Amino acid sequence: MSWILDTPSARAAFEIASEYADKTLLNHSVRSYAFAAAYAAAHGLSYDEELLYVSSLLHDLGLTAPFDNHTLPFEEAGGHVARVLTAGLGWPAARRARAEEVIVLHMRDDVSATGDVESHLLQVGTSADVSGLRVAEFGPAFRTALVAEYPRLGFGPAFLALFEDQAVRKPDCAAAAFVAGGAAARITSNPLDAA
């Protein structure tokens, strides 16, 4: 089973994510998309597949050294990366703005599928992969195949360290709220790591 979308924009997003994110973060991005797409299928949600895929692949680039902004939260920095990349791909302004918005809003808990399906799906996908939220809704065969193809490679501790760093440097950001809200316990108890 493959969770790679094959369009020119999707290939460009994967290429950029591969160049700037380490394998641990890249695999997380692909797994986040896979969880989001599987959730959408299970719940009959229609969405823009390419927009979700590109946003998923780029959503954490604001955590990487080249794109980590000293004042902006990582999701806003990542949104700007997406906007610039998609401009180079010829996306119209409104679609570029949507890619940025999906990335920014994935850190919010209050985005409904009826209000913004792509942002909701990215939030569901990243929450499943980071914290194990709703992971039981995805069948064991799906989870096993996904983690076999895109291994976690110590993702939990590495991701927690990135968020803790964001929290220290940007205490008013969503990552800081996530850390303060017990991120370490949720990340370390993620069932995806209990194999």
Side-chain angles (χ1 to χ4, degrees), residues 38-46 134 137:
Y39 180 88
H43 291 84
L45 299 174
S46 297
R134 293 185 168 137
E137 295 179 25

Side-chain angles (χ1 to χ4, degrees), residues 120-150:
H120 177 73
L121 290 172
L122 186 54
Q123 194 275 329
V124 168
T126 56
S127 294
D129 198 58
V130 171
S131 303
L133 187 65
R134 293 185 168 137
V135 80
E137 295 179 25
F138 302 93
F142 172 85
R143 295 191 313 261
T144 300
L146 180 60
V147 172
E149 191 167 350
Y150 298 97

Side-chain angles (χ1 to χ4, degrees), residues 73-100:
F74 84 94
E75 67 272 22
E76 291 181 25
H80 289 297
V81 172
R83 197 170 190 130
V84 170
L85 173 68
T86 55
L89 295 171
W91 285 22
R95 189 165 168 80
R96 294 193 307 266
R98 279 292 295 137
E100 178 182 17

Side-chain angles (χ1 to χ4, degrees), residues 106-181:
H106 93 277
M107 285 298 293
R108 312 301 185 260
D109 291 338
D110 58 351
V111 180
S112 70
T114 55
D116 181 344
V117 69
E118 290 85 12
S119 297
H120 177 73
L121 290 172
L122 186 54
Q123 194 275 329
V124 168
T126 56
S127 294
D129 198 58
V130 171
S131 303
L133 187 65
R134 293 185 168 137
V135 80
E137 295 179 25
F138 302 93
F142 172 85
R143 295 191 313 261
T144 300
L146 180 60
V147 172
E149 191 167 350
Y150 298 97
R152 292 185 63 80
L153 306 173
F155 170 71
F159 190 77
L160 180 60
L162 289 170
F163 262 42
E164 288 174 338
D165 175 63
Q166 292 283 308
V168 168
R169 293 186 294 113
K170 305 168 196 176
D172 296 324
C173 71
F178 182 64
V179 169

